Structure formats: C-alpha cells, structure tokens
Amino acid sequence: MSRSMWIISVLILILMISSFWFGRNREAPPWVKCKESLFAQVVMKQCTPSSFANPNNMETNENNVEDELPFEPPQN
C-alpha cells in the first residue's frame, strides 16, 4: 500500500472510532420514534410508535403477547 492509502485508512479508522465514541449515549432523534416516513409525519401528522422509541417496552410487550396466545399441540 502506498503512503496516501495508509493515511486515508488511518483517517477512516479515526472517524469510525470517534463516531462510535460520541454517539453511544444519544437518544434517538424524534423522527425515528415513528414507523411512518418523515413525509407522512410532517404532511399527514401520523405517528405510530416504533420499537426504537422504547425498546425496553417492546421486549416486555412481546413477552406478554406470547403469554396470552393459546397453545395448540401438533396433531399427528
């Protein structure tokens, strides 16, 4: 590899590490909290909560749904 390729590789590596470091404790932006597209949110005022809004709540909801579903054993 030439010297310029090494420089570019190191700069990309620094960019990746810094973006991970500074973005790890951030909340999701407001437009990610809805399932609809940004256009539908702005124009039609629609917002269905997404799993990105409350990921912990989604895990508990999935467990509750599984507990409520009836179990049917296989019939052979």
Side-chain angles (χ1 to χ4, degrees):
M1 285 174 59
S2 66
R3 183 177 175 164
S4 61
M5 289 299 290
W6 279 107
I7 293 172
I8 292 172
S9 299
V10 168
L11 290 175
I12 290 173
L13 181 66
I14 291 171
L15 179 67
M16 289 173 50
I17 292 171
S18 64
S19 65
F20 172 75
W21 183 266
F22 289 113
R24 62 187 169 155
N25 291 329
R26 281 196 176 163
E27 283 188 31
W31 60 85
V32 177
K33 296 179 180 178
C34 300
K35 288 183 180 180
E36 290 81 18
S37 67
L38 186 58
F39 177 78
Q41 292 177 35
V42 172
V43 175
M44 297 178 225
K45 309 276 187 209
Q46 295 176 345
C47 183
T48 307
S50 174
S51 62
F52 292 112
N54 295 322
N56 296 335
N57 293 340
M58 289 301 292
E59 291 173 1
T60 57
N61 289 342
E62 289 175 0
N63 292 338
N64 292 341
V65 169
E66 290 174 357
D67 293 341
E68 294 172 3
L69 295 176
F71 175 71
E72 294 182 16
Q75 299 174 0
N76 290 353

